Amino acid sequence: MSPRKWDKVATTVLYMISVFIIAVLAFLLLYILISGLPHVTWHFITGRSSSFAAGGGIGIQLFNSLYLLILSMLISIPLSLGAGIYLSEYAPKNWLTDLIRNMIEILSSLPSVVVGLFGFLVFSINMKLGFSILSGALALTVFNLPLLTRKVEDSLQAVHYTQREAGYALGLSRWETVIHVVVPSALPGILTGMILGAGRVFGEAAALIYTAGQSSPPLDFTNWNPTYIASPLNPLRSAETLAVHIWKINSEGIIPDASAVSAGASAILILFVLLFNFAARYFGNKLYRHLTGARERG
Amino acid sequence: MKNDDIRASLMKRSRAAKNERFGKTLTGLCILIIITVVVSIFFFVASKGLATFFTNKVNLWKFLTGTIWNPGATDAQGNPQVGALPMIVGSFAVTFLAAIVATPFAIGAAVFMTEISPKIGRKVLQPVIELLVGIPSVVYGFIGLSVVVPFVRRTFGGSGFGILSGTFVLFVMILPTVTSMTIDALNSVPRNYREASLALGATRWQTIYKVVLRASTSGIITAIVFGMSRAFGEALAVQMVIGNAMLLPGNLISPASTLTSVLTMGMGNSVMGSLSNNALWSLALLLLIMPLIFNIIIRKIAKKGAIR
Amino acid sequence: MEKYDRSDRYLKQLDDGQHEIALATKDLHVSYGEKEAIHGVSLDFERFKITALIGASGSGKSTYLRSLNRMNDNISGTKVTGQIMYRGLDVNSNQIDVYEMRKHIGMVFQQPNPFAKSIYDNITFAPKRHGEHHKKVLDEMVETTLKQAGLWDQVKDDLKQSALALSGGQQQRLCIARAIAMKPDILLLDEPASVLDPISTATLEDTLLQLKENYTIIIVTHNMQQAARVSDYTAFFHLGDALEYDETRKIFTRPKIKATEDYVSGHFG
């Protein structure tokens, strides 16, 4: 074959590969939504799950997922901001800083199941938190911290050095300059990273199986006192999340309508992931335009 | 202000200086917490995982090469039966197979996005890849269970559970990661390499094949190794489709298991401190070490690429 | 480049009691890691005058300027030794609070670097951080400084607008307004006109000549006409040394040193 012909063939193959990948995503989304959405009723979203019989809902699991998400983000956002600021602004260029960066990279490359087991050992057993929301939130924090920190550091580094000099030259400390000048400028990137991180946390199951637990005790949605044992807000109760629920009913296969419930739950999960994804894009862009003043210029 | 006042204020620690120390301490503390977490992960998992060998006196070599996993029982010589080879083989099998299948697709898509049609790439494929990364692994597992497993069963026979199904699921899961890292590798090839090649009369494909891909080989390998690291550590999606049989896999369509699948299934059913529990922690230790090894490999490759 | 005898130098001494000195350096050395960039420069800067630092790129003029308010502190591996005398104190010492010092010795950079905030906030941000919260005072400050910087008429109706939406020349004048809002003694300018068009540059130079009434100004420039137009004194830098320092008029008409003569007549640089 002539080179020109080869070129044609190769281009065609590359087009086919790209179409294939788009088809895979389309198939995944359509399969989940088509098989799942018919099961999504108000009763399904808010109802209690069933252990043996068909017709259970996912209300508590959905609440647990959201509660865990909020709790773990409350811990990991300030921590990752602090760590990211330190690495970007204060860390001297030496072997110790390199070592710290390597440690964070290693943490981000650890399998989530290992993070879950560590959480089980340290939070659930050693710290006696048991299978609880708190253990789960801490495990999710460990799972999420390295990526968030990295994202914060990268976003801060993307802000031009002259912005910092402007602050220093006005007699401001580095800390003031970072908090009031650099962080606001880096906010679009940071926000995008945080929202995508939230999406990851929302769908995570392996880190939660042995930390937040695989059971959901009955909750009393009329009592919101966090110290009450059946309170939805009690951080020491065990809490099966949506993702863990999907895994559990599929691996144990006790309830007869496992595949219908999983499909419905997966659909909800996917809808949330899509929501997080679009939110990240939308708010990131909007904030960016707002900060750069592009809006005013039309 | 009078001269003396200014002189005095210059000699005093200002509000900004105090503020600076506050910020540095606060953020340093955050870093310290992360370091503590990393160190304690290694400490706790290692101390548990090594107990199998130091407390229960299991032979490391036998642990790595033994083919029977039955921690509750002992063999004829009275040694506990904790052979992890079936899981090790299972983990490596799905990892390598998934990487082999994913590589051509990842490179193809990356080449398409950087060389053929950057516009479609950025507008369509980029969001597609980002969405694929975002899909939770249990959803992949569920689809694997309800689509891939029946498909394998119909096409190849057997139960459908096994390494082949695991490979398919992992292939889709690591594809976006490998693709986006490959894109970075291709983008780092200087523009003028391409222009020089095209100016010499080479076709676009010749340029891609002989210039761009050659120049970015180390970056592409890094992407693949990174994807393998991901595949190796993936737990639930694989566990849902692999069949969870702790046997040395004879073929690709018979039920098998991986390190992660045994861990997720077993940890809840064993008593802390018992041999069967310690043996599971040894598997966790293996899982902890493997990303390190992948990491070292990536660094070695990156260094080689940098010298060239 | 021709080799010049670096021991051949003429530095005008201003500490003769006839001139009021606002800032002076004594044997100032700056090094990045192993490499020394400034080899002991001693200059006196007269109060309420404009002093220009000229020289080819790499001559060290910017490095020297940035040392004066210790901006190089933030670049790791940089060492500054020698004295920087301000109000009888050596501000290049650990006893001096660097943040307080920078309030008195302000700086405007080569690239306009307004914050991603509104015009109003750009000027009031630092004063607010330093404790000024009265709205009336802040409003007045915005108006005065913008007037001094020659920007008021163009932006007075748009103070809430993002500063990043301004043109390059306007941004640079905003940066000057921001710097003088701190009421510094001394204003350091690092090639402030290098990215501006000729008209913006002319406006900027007018601004500087007006500011001279209240501020001591030290300006780095690669533009010799600019130095000749605005400055009272000129220091010629070459390879990390100040070789000649004199009244601007003399530097450009009768330089005493061969290197200066070659540079101002355009033989190198």
Side-chain angles (χ1 to χ4, degrees), chain A residues 91-93 160-177 179-181 184-185 289-294 296-297, chain C residues 66 69 71 73-76 99 102-103 105-107 109 111 113-117 125-126 129-130 160-162 164-167 178-179 182:
Chain A
K93 280 196 190 91
H160 208 275
Y161 189 72
T162 54
Q163 287 280 306
R164 295 175 175 82
E165 285 190 323
Y168 304 157
L170 293 169
L172 299 172
S173 65
R174 276 199 238 196
W175 175 243
E176 288 171 297
T177 310
I179 291 298
H180 297 280
V181 176
S185 293
R289 278 206 304 275
H290 178 72
L291 283 172
T292 52
E296 284 85 352
R297 289 190 127 180
Chain C
R66 291 170 55 90
N69 69 342
M71 285 307 285
D73 280 18
N74 295 309
I75 297 163
S76 63
Y99 311 103
R102 289 190 191 133
K103 282 159 75 177
I105 307 179
M107 189 160 200
F109 299 85
Q111 289 284 340
N113 55 357
F115 300 129
K117 300 174 187 292
F125 168 60
R129 294 298 310 164
H130 291 304
K160 294 284 166 227
Q161 183 187 216
S162 167
L164 299 183
L166 297 173
S167 74
R178 181 175 67 184
M182 300 300 301

Side-chain angles (χ1 to χ4, degrees), chain B residues 20 23 59 70 104 113 127 129 143 161 165 189 197 234 238-239 246 258 298 308:
Chain B
E20 178 73 355
N59 181 303
N70 190 2
M113 289 172 69
I129 285 171
I143 293 179
F161 292 98
S165 299
V189 176
S197 167
E234 175 49 44
V238 178
Q239 184 264 328
M246 289 175 223
T258 63
I298 289 173
R308 221 159 46 95

Side-chain angles (χ1 to χ4, degrees), chain B residues 85-101 144 148-149 151-153 156-172 231 237-259 261:
Chain B
L85 193 63
M87 288 80 100
I88 296 174
V89 170
S91 279
F92 276 104
V94 288
T95 301
F96 276 105
L97 289 175
I100 289 170
V101 185
V148 177
V149 170
F151 169 76
V152 169
R153 180 164 53 223
F156 301 99
S159 66
F161 292 98
I163 289 179
L164 190 61
S165 299
T167 301
F168 278 131
V169 170
L170 281 178
F171 152 62
V172 180
V238 178
Q239 184 264 328
M240 286 162 88
V241 299
I242 199 150
N244 301 308
M246 289 175 223
L247 300 167
L248 212 51
N251 56 47
L252 297 183
I253 52 168
S254 64
S257 57
T258 63
L259 295 169
S261 74

Side-chain angles (χ1 to χ4, degrees), chain A residues 5-22:
Chain A
K5 206 144 192 196
W6 264 115
D7 190 65
K8 273 232 165 78
V9 171
T11 307
T12 316
V13 170
L14 292 175
Y15 263 97
M16 278 159 54
I17 287 176
S18 308
V19 170
F20 170 79
I21 292 178
I22 297 171

